[in-house]
Amino acid sequence: MTNSNSTARSQALFEEAKQYIPGGVNSPCRAYLAVNDTPRFIVRADGAYIYDVDGNEYIDYIGSWGPMILGNNPPQVREAVQEVIGNGLSFGAATEREITMAKLVCAMVPSMEMVRMVNSGTEATMSAIRTARGYTGRNKFIKFEGCYHGHSDALLVKAGSGLIANGGAPDSAGVTPGCAQDTLTARFNDFDSVEKLFEENRGEIAAVIIEPVGANMGVVPPAEGFLRKLREICDVNGAVLIFDEVITGFRLAPGGAQELFGVKPDMTTFGKIIGGGMPVGAYGGKREIMEMVAPLGPVYQAGTLSGNPVAMAAGIAQLTWLSEHPEAYEKINRLGEKLFGGFREILERARKAGRTKACCTVNSIGSIGSVFFTETPVTDYASAKTADIAAYGDYFRAMLKSGIYFAPAQFEAMFLSAAHTDREIDATLEAFGAYFGE
Ligand code: KE4
């Protein structure tokens, strides 16, 4: 691609946006603050590519932060939306398509016996915690430092993603001590820290919520046996094990991380892929737990646009295609291996050649991964935080100039899609190699 790399139009739009929208963006992850650059305003995306308002074309490794597993603007999803949009955008009433979606999710994810649609991952995790509290009659729950589960108050404690993008505090103003007092935090991949909390809060812990693969402190896979031990300690203590599979769901396997690792949670939360790019989240799991949810049970949760007919059409089209094309997973996992393995080889050569910028650690699993600018192996939040944010910013800006669109923050994931091919991977490896002096 021969990009002008002009950002004139993006800059002008950003200045205007900042007058009306906090920070000029509707989500901090898009602000490019952590990489000290101008946010690229996007005009369209197609397949493995995304295009900004200045006419620049990029190979896309964000994919709308995960939803675009089929690639951008996939015809299967677009046509499904076009088919239904003429019937009305929303009814606020029950529709058959919601049954189709619920049955599809339960078929793809065996631990799901009953599911409720919401409009975001945030709503899904917030509702799952409330349901677990209602089901157990307990107040406290455990989350893990560096994991991000959306922006509901009780979960904005030692969280990841945009909270730590700029090296900031992992907590948020406006979350009251009352809201956060029942949120206990353990360390990812440190089972002793979990055991300690259960001992100190015996009989008081309603749930453990975890990203089965951390992806909001950068990508951090679970240590061997870690998830199984969480399963066991929750069983012993009668706590609800919640897998937040907003990123890993329908991506690491059709049944998500729980299928890949063979560990069955009591509840699972979804977002991103389940909506095919439309605003959809979902939570569900064991029938006896989900029967606590209104109108059946005493745990209240509602939503004007939950199960929206257009969003359901998009999500059903994407999930149906994924469930019928297991080869898509072979492809994105192969390309992931090639890309992240290629990064490691380039860095090894750079290290051997003594080129200074080669102090990086690459974590990956399947079609997601992160390049951390630290020589420390990254296995949790503390080790992720040793990364040099400024160095990441320099790398990000250089790669963007080479037409490669990575996450504009060190503590995010990169996402591949079924629309990526060897051509994009080879071009990315070439740009990556050039950056590290090859
Ligand atoms: P949403 O409310 O953004 O749909 O989902 C929240 C959420 C929940 N759980 C996990 C594991 C997540 O990764 C997310 C959202 N992820 C961020 C990216 N790190 C979304 C991007 C953004 O906030 O703009």
Side-chain angles (χ1 to χ4, degrees):
M1 60 209 74
T2 49
N3 285 341
S4 69
N5 282 320
S6 160
T7 58
R9 184 94 183 97
S10 279
Q11 284 179 32
L13 289 172
F14 189 42
E15 289 314 308
E16 187 179 8
K18 282 190 283 191
Q19 294 172 48
Y20 302 97
I21 307 168
V25 290
N26 280 313
S27 186
C29 291
R30 309 170 188 170
Y32 285 53
L33 275 181
V35 293
N36 196 16
D37 199 350
T38 301
R40 298 313 190 261
F41 279 62
I42 299 302
V43 65
R44 72 184 180 92
D46 204 64
Y49 294 88
I50 193 161
Y51 303 84
D52 74 16
V53 291
D54 290 288
N56 296 307
E57 176 192 71
Y58 306 100
I59 300 175
D60 179 12
Y61 287 102
I62 297 183
S64 181
W65 300 97
M68 300 303 155
I69 190 170
L70 301 187
N72 291 297
N73 188 24
Q76 310 88 317
V77 176
R78 185 180 64 246
E79 285 156 17
V81 168
Q82 285 167 337
E83 250 170 65
V84 303
I85 211 155
N87 302 331
L89 295 177
S90 178
F91 314 127
T95 62
E96 183 177 357
R97 209 166 282 122
E98 291 163 271
I99 305 170
T100 309
M101 171 62 98
K103 288 169 72 175
L104 186 53
V105 170
C106 294
M108 292 178 79
V109 188
S111 67
M112 298 288 278
E113 297 171 350
M114 193 172 256
V115 61
R116 167 62 62 85
M117 290 293 133
V118 291
N119 302 281
S120 68
T122 293
E123 271 193 86
T125 56
M126 172 177 74
S127 310
I129 292 290
R130 185 182 312 134
T131 303
R133 285 171 159 166
Y135 174 70
T136 59
R138 301 173 183 174
N139 299 335
K140 296 179 179 178
F141 70 91
I142 295 174
K143 76 175 288 291
F144 292 83
E145 288 174 8
C147 283
Y148 176 73
H149 303 288
H151 64 87
S152 62
D153 283 359
L155 283 162
L156 278 183
V157 174
K158 291 193 175 51
S161 186
L163 287 109
I164 57 175
N166 226 2
D171 304 295
S172 169
V175 174
T176 62
C179 264
Q181 66 187 21
D182 293 318
T183 306
L184 308 174
T185 53
R187 281 180 300 285
F188 198 84
N189 281 330
D190 175 353
F191 184 68
D192 291 348
S193 69
V194 179
E195 248 179 349
K196 186 166 177 292
L197 289 173
F198 269 101
E199 280 155 18
E200 291 167 354
N201 301 275
R202 202 167 293 288
E204 297 182 78
I205 294 176
V208 172
I209 185 168
I210 189 166
E211 294 178 60
V213 172
N216 285 288
M217 47 184 141
V219 172
V220 181
E224 180 64 36
F226 181 62
L227 297 176
R228 184 178 41 72
K229 283 189 246 175
L230 292 182
R231 175 66 280 168
E232 289 163 1
I233 199 165
C234 283
D235 286 341
V236 166
N237 289 277
V240 175
L241 178 59
I242 304 171
F243 275 9
D244 177 355
E245 296 224 39
V246 166
I247 282 186
T248 57
F250 312 111
R251 173 171 287 275
L252 294 188
Q258 54 195 272
E259 175 184 327
L260 184 71
F261 293 107
V263 175
K264 213 170 183 179
D266 303 304
M267 296 183 81
T268 307
T269 56
F270 295 108
K272 299 181 192 277
I273 290 174
I274 193 171
M278 296 293 281
V280 178
Y283 69 103
K286 283 183 175 166
R287 182 175 300 280
E288 65 185 271
I289 299 176
M290 290 305 288
E291 287 175 344
M292 295 298 293
V293 178
L296 194 53
V299 176
Y300 194 71
Q301 181 270 312
T304 304
L305 296 173
S306 296
N308 171 276
V310 180
M312 291 296 100
I316 290 166
Q318 178 137 288
L319 293 192
T320 302
W321 197 87
L322 286 168
S323 66
E324 293 172 352
H325 294 80
E327 72 277 8
Y329 290 96
E330 289 152 30
K331 177 180 182 184
I332 61 177
N333 291 342
R334 177 184 69 80
L335 291 178
E337 259 311 299
K338 179 175 181 180
L339 181 71
F340 300 113
F343 286 171
R344 292 187 188 98
E345 286 164 14
I346 291 166
L347 289 165
E348 193 49 34
R349 289 197 294 269
R351 248 189 293 275
K352 285 199 176 108
R355 288 194 287 271
T356 53
K357 287 190 294 191
C359 55
C360 292
T361 296
V362 180
N363 283 0
S364 68
I365 179 165
S367 59
I368 58 173
S370 298
V371 177
F372 293 94
F373 277 70
T374 176
E375 286 182 301
T376 309
V378 177
T379 58
D380 60 10
Y381 174 67
S383 46
K385 290 286 283 176
T386 64
D388 178 340
I389 292 174
Y392 180 87
D394 183 68
Y395 156 78
F396 169 84
R397 292 189 300 275
M399 299 299 279
L400 199 60
K401 280 200 167 52
S402 304
I404 313 291
Y405 188 75
F406 285 149
Q410 166 70 87
F411 304 114
E412 296 291 355
M414 291 166 56
F415 300 89
L416 281 105
S417 82
H420 286 75
T421 69
D422 287 303
R423 177 169 173 268
E424 284 75 41
I425 304 305
D426 294 342
T428 306
L429 289 173
E430 190 182 338
F432 189 90
Y435 182 73
F436 287 100
E438 288 194 341

